[in-house]
Amino acid sequence: MKQQILIIGAGFGGVWSALSAARLLDKHDRNDVEITVLAPQAELRIRPRFYEPDVHTMKAPLNELFDAVGVKFVKGAAESIDERSKRVSYTNAAGIQGTLGYDRLVLAAGSKLMRPPVDGMLEHAFDVDEIESATRLEAHIKSLKDKPVSAARNTVVVAGGGFTGIETATEMPARLRAVLGENADIRVIVVDRAPQVAAALGDGIRPSIVEASEHLGIQWVLNATVAAVDANGVTLADGQRIESNTVIWTVGFRANSLTEQVQGTRDHQGRLHVDQHLKVRGHADVYASGDVAYAATDDLGNFAAMSCQHAIALGRYAGNNVAAELLGVEPMAYSQPKYVTCLDLGAWGAVFTEGWDRQVKLVKQEAKELKTQINTMWIYPPAADRAAALAAADPLIPVA
């Protein structure tokens, strides 16, 4: 009977875990280990692009790729992990329950935007967290042209001034004008609890964000939190009212709740602490990859972020190491000392930085061209060619 590697999730961490495990099995000419990916869809959803228009196109099919490299796909949503029996229960699209056994498990179930218990949040706020919710937002934006002209119709409020909030906000003027007309009197407002623009991103990158915001006419309301949302706007904690038919929530990400079924230490975002080989600490047969893994990227105290930049590399190492353990070969210690940021800033351009202190290297059009390459080429899975796909899964290939 073949040994079983089960990977939960078909995001960046899951896809690259599967490809990397297949690569090592191929390298050692072994066919006594089976790799299975369990996920709701056989597609890689390009989540970093969900702030853009035409979001329904931002996915890459995986069936042919998995077939090419010998990975089995099971369509279903994982519901429970039984570590004692080494089985995962899931439900498929028809509502039928099933179970899958494993010898080694890679948890790569991703993360989810968490909405706080704010009045009206669930009913009235949009988000760009999943392809379905981003598609709903896009349909809503297109429908604004059918509403009577008003301040609320022409105003978008983005709650949260982090990476997702900034990219969503700076793309919004062009998206609104494409619907309402070039001369429409639009407003895009970022509401953030921080005392200054892009506080979480640091002093190096901030001037570019400030300049882009001024160029695009984006307003920032700082030291502010949202107290309530309704169909016509937001009320802030200090009582200020902003009329808007479009409120977008972008802050507060947490690892998939499946992590809570695995015993171990977690960080404040619910990510499981892993060792240098990405094995969950305290476990003999469970690995974590992508947004569910709290992994040290270097010896300087830096840890992987919830980003595709880190998820791709984490997947390559996790897949390699889970296969290596079953094959009895030496695992590879995860290392990703280079860190970059490429932040899309709408029609102004973009900003590209290097290092955890975000030293600016490219701005405006040069950075925009790089961002376009990243978004349309680099983060997509390889073609369904066995040799090329396996070669692309080498953990030693630099991501950034």
Side-chain angles (χ1 to χ4, degrees):
M1 182 178 291
K2 291 186 177 183
Q3 296 185 93
Q4 299 291 326
I5 294 173
L6 176 59
I7 299 167
I8 299 177
F12 294 101
V15 168
W16 287 101
S17 291
L19 294 177
S20 187
R23 171 187 171 274
L24 198 66
L25 296 178
D26 180 78
K27 183 177 179 180
H28 289 270
D29 195 26
R30 294 282 291 271
N31 58 9
D32 58 338
V33 178
E34 185 172 64
I35 304 165
T36 300
V37 173
L38 170 65
Q41 306 90 16
E43 59 190 28
L44 175 60
R45 296 182 162 196
I46 314 300
R47 191 185 193 188
R49 299 189 64 186
F50 288 175
Y51 65 93
E52 300 180 47
D54 299 320
V55 68
H56 63 282
T57 67
M58 292 168 189
K59 53 190 177 183
L62 295 172
N63 278 325
E64 290 186 6
L65 174 60
F66 284 163
D67 287 346
V69 298
V71 170
K72 179 182 177 183
F73 178 78
V74 175
K75 185 174 182 177
E79 294 183 338
S80 65
I81 301 170
D82 186 336
E83 294 182 75
R84 296 185 65 182
S85 65
K86 294 187 179 181
R87 299 196 70 80
V88 171
S89 299
Y90 69 94
T91 301
N92 67 16
I96 299 172
Q97 293 186 321
T99 62
L100 293 168
Y102 64 84
D103 292 285
R104 296 294 183 275
L105 176 69
V106 180
L107 183 57
S111 61
K112 186 175 180 62
L113 178 71
M114 304 303 293
R115 294 183 180 225
V118 171
D119 286 349
M121 173 71 70
L122 294 178
E123 298 88 347
H124 302 293
F126 296 90
D127 67 68
V128 293
D129 187 44
E130 298 179 355
I131 203 165
E132 291 85 0
S133 58
T135 300
R136 284 195 295 273
L137 171 62
E138 182 161 25
H140 167 78
I141 291 172
K142 289 178 178 178
S143 75
L144 292 175
K145 68 180 184 299
D146 300 322
K147 290 179 175 288
V149 176
S150 68
R153 185 198 75 159
N154 289 15
T155 300
V156 170
V157 174
V158 177
F163 205 99
T164 302
I166 292 167
E167 292 198 320
T168 301
T170 53
E171 187 73 15
M172 201 52 63
R175 294 183 67 175
L176 285 174
R177 289 197 171 98
V179 172
L180 302 178
E182 285 298 320
N183 297 319
D185 184 18
I186 65 169
R187 294 177 74 200
V188 178
I189 302 170
V190 178
V191 175
D192 194 51
R193 66 176 59 200
Q196 55 186 331
V197 172
L201 299 184
D203 295 336
I205 201 171
R206 183 178 299 110
S208 294
I209 298 168
V210 170
E211 183 179 332
S213 297
E214 292 174 350
H215 176 80
L216 297 168
I218 294 170
Q219 302 170 245
W220 286 70
V221 178
L222 301 170
N223 291 308
T225 57
V226 174
V229 184
D230 57 58
N232 295 308
V234 297
T235 303
L236 305 185
D238 64 1
Q240 181 181 348
R241 174 74 180 173
I242 304 175
E243 297 295 323
S244 171
N245 294 146
T246 312
V247 179
I248 308 170
W249 190 264
T250 69
V251 64
F253 289 88
R254 189 168 181 83
N256 189 288
S257 59
L258 285 171
T259 57
E260 297 167 13
Q261 299 186 28
V262 178
Q263 292 187 354
T265 304
R266 299 167 187 79
D267 77 335
H268 69 284
Q269 291 180 295
R271 297 183 296 174
L272 290 160
H273 285 224
V274 295
D275 64 18
Q276 63 178 345
H277 299 135
L278 305 185
K279 184 180 289 188
V280 177
R281 294 189 181 277
H283 290 265
D285 45 36
V286 181
Y287 291 72
S289 177
D291 286 1
V292 301
Y294 183 65
T297 61
D298 52 35
D299 296 327
L300 303 175
N302 297 309
F303 288 81
M306 286 181 169
S307 69
C308 66
Q309 174 184 175
H310 286 118
I312 291 171
L314 286 165
R316 286 172 173 161
Y317 279 92
N320 179 88
N321 291 343
V322 75
E325 186 171 31
L326 293 180
L327 298 179
V329 301
E330 194 69 23
M332 300 174 68
Y334 167 66
S335 176
Q336 194 174 359
K338 185 176 182 182
Y339 175 68
V340 303
T341 299
C342 198
L343 182 68
D344 199 342
L345 295 171
W348 181 86
V351 56
F352 174 76
T353 70
E354 293 183 353
W356 289 93
D357 56 351
R358 295 195 170 94
Q359 300 173 30
V360 176
K361 301 297 180 181
L362 298 172
V363 296
K364 295 188 176 179
Q365 189 57 33
E366 279 189 300
K368 188 75 167 187
E369 291 172 1
L370 178 59
K371 181 67 172 181
T372 300
Q373 280 192 333
I374 293 170
N375 273 10
T376 60
M377 296 171 58
W378 295 2
I379 61 177
Y380 278 73
D385 175 87
R386 181 178 176 85
L390 295 181
D394 186 345
L396 296 181
I397 296 175
V399 177

